[in-house]
Amino acid sequence: IGIDAVAMCVNDVLVQGARPLFFLDYIAVGKNHPEVIEQIVKGVADGCVDAQCALIGGETAEMPDMYDVHHYDVAGFCVGAADKKDIRTGEHIADGDVLIGLPSTGVHSNGFSLVRKVLFKDAKLDPHQKMEELGGRELGEVLLTPTRIYVRPVLKVLEEIDVHGMSHITGGGFFENIPRMLKDGQGVRIEKDSFPRPEIFDVIAKYGSIDEEEMYNVFNMGIGFIMAVKPEDAARTQQILADMGETSYVIGEVTESGKVEIE
């Protein structure tokens, strides 16, 4: 949970080309269970280490009239910085730019209202049950896999490559997040078979009878971060990532269609 709070902030700052500088957290509880607070704060600290930013403060509030004794609420924010000339505004994105996708670790921090309804409320699955579709892993464990933090690999790419635009695939999936980095009238063509899809998405789609378009409109479907680069920079971008031990995929290209096309 703590890692997710950091990841959602630093990855969003990153798409502007900014380096995360510092993070603050806020934890509200119905009752202060020190062992729970400890785990959350450790997650926040681990996330900050991964994102190479400082955890400079936080606040904890115990409000029994507001929250159930077993409930807690976690919020946070980060500040990042970039030289004005280095801010990625999307103004240089052009038709034919190649989309380099970095894999997600699973559901990340989005779509959990739908996940809970489909898997727990409707299908009444047990989060502790081991599922063959998930390679024998517990359902809850898979769902709570921490969100990937993309700061280190992306900043490394930015040192050498003129990345035209970036997108953090969060709530709203491909259809809402990718257009944010594009200019008016531009679109993208995504090749859905160009990257592996974690099994958890097939489980959600199966139990919820959710069609493919809606899945791509809610979830990251296996791609958590996208960079748009010139075609001639694609191979070098992937090599930089590979040298860091990062897997990446060419998942599509920028078009003039004005829409997100998934084929």
Side-chain angles (χ1 to χ4, degrees), residues 102-180:
L102 293 172
S104 69
T105 50
V107 180
H108 283 188
S109 298
N110 299 99
F112 271 89
S113 295
L114 181 58
V115 167
R116 288 194 300 272
K117 180 183 185 304
V118 166
L119 300 183
F120 303 127
K121 184 178 179 180
D122 295 344
K124 301 191 185 310
L125 299 178
D126 182 347
H128 297 290
Q129 74 182 78
K130 295 181 179 181
M131 301 186 69
E132 184 177 337
E133 302 102 306
L134 300 176
R137 292 176 295 167
E138 286 189 5
L139 174 59
E141 178 187 357
V142 173
L143 288 171
L144 292 177
T145 302
T147 300
R148 274 203 69 193
I149 291 174
Y150 297 99
V151 173
R152 292 173 189 261
V154 171
L155 287 180
K156 187 68 175 178
V157 169
L158 290 175
E159 290 178 3
E160 185 173 331
I161 303 296
D162 179 19
V163 178
H164 288 172
M166 293 176 279
S167 181
H168 179 207
I169 309 302
T170 56
F174 284 61
F175 292 106
E176 292 186 23
N177 288 289
I178 295 177
R180 293 175 180 171

Side-chain angles (χ1 to χ4, degrees), residues 6-229:
V6 175
M8 287 297 105
C9 295
V10 298
N11 289 342
D12 277 355
V13 164
L14 187 62
V15 300
Q16 315 303 322
R19 178 184 296 274
L21 298 180
F22 59 83
F23 183 87
L24 290 95
D25 64 39
Y26 168 77
I27 304 171
V29 299
K31 181 176 175 56
N32 188 350
H33 298 285
E35 67 279 5
V36 174
I37 300 294
E38 180 183 10
Q39 289 185 59
I40 295 171
V41 174
K42 182 182 185 304
V44 170
D46 289 346
C48 287
V49 169
D50 193 4
Q52 299 178 303
C53 70
L55 175 59
I56 63 171
E59 174 71 16
T60 302
E62 187 174 20
M63 297 184 286
D65 294 331
M66 180 68 72
Y67 298 96
D68 181 88
V69 294
H70 297 297
H71 290 177
Y72 55 85
D73 189 15
V74 182
F77 87 103
C78 80
V79 171
D83 287 341
K84 189 173 182 178
K85 64 180 175 59
D86 294 329
I87 295 175
R88 271 26 182 212
T89 63
E91 63 179 318
H92 299 301
I93 290 183
D95 181 28
D97 276 358
V98 173
L99 302 178
I100 306 292
L102 293 172
S104 69
T105 50
V107 180
H108 283 188
S109 298
N110 299 99
F112 271 89
S113 295
L114 181 58
V115 167
R116 288 194 300 272
K117 180 183 185 304
V118 166
L119 300 183
F120 303 127
K121 184 178 179 180
D122 295 344
K124 301 191 185 310
L125 299 178
D126 182 347
H128 297 290
Q129 74 182 78
K130 295 181 179 181
M131 301 186 69
E132 184 177 337
E133 302 102 306
L134 300 176
R137 292 176 295 167
E138 286 189 5
L139 174 59
E141 178 187 357
V142 173
L143 288 171
L144 292 177
T145 302
T147 300
R148 274 203 69 193
I149 291 174
Y150 297 99
V151 173
R152 292 173 189 261
V154 171
L155 287 180
K156 187 68 175 178
V157 169
L158 290 175
E159 290 178 3
E160 185 173 331
I161 303 296
D162 179 19
V163 178
H164 288 172
M166 293 176 279
S167 181
H168 179 207
I169 309 302
T170 56
F174 284 61
F175 292 106
E176 292 186 23
N177 288 289
I178 295 177
R180 293 175 180 171
M181 71 176 180
L182 303 174
K183 292 181 288 192
D184 288 344
Q186 291 182 325
V188 295
R189 183 183 301 110
I190 302 290
E191 298 174 16
K192 63 184 179 183
D193 294 329
S194 61
F195 56 90
R197 182 163 72 187
E199 301 92 336
I200 187 61
F201 296 116
D202 294 325
V203 170
I204 295 168
K206 170 187 170 183
Y207 283 94
S209 298
I210 304 170
D211 65 53
E212 187 172 69
E213 182 174 350
E214 181 64 9
M215 289 294 293
Y216 278 93
N217 194 42
V218 175
F219 301 105
N220 65 65
M221 301 303 285
I223 294 294
F225 200 93
I226 296 173
M227 292 180 281
V229 301

Side-chain angles (χ1 to χ4, degrees), residues 99-103 148 157 194-196 223 225 227 234-242 245-251:
L99 302 178
I100 306 292
L102 293 172
R148 274 203 69 193
V157 169
S194 61
F195 56 90
I223 294 294
F225 200 93
M227 292 180 281
R236 179 56 187 157
T237 299
Q238 288 196 284
Q239 185 59 57
I240 293 170
L241 293 166
E246 297 285 340
T247 301
S248 65
Y249 305 95
V250 173
I251 65 170

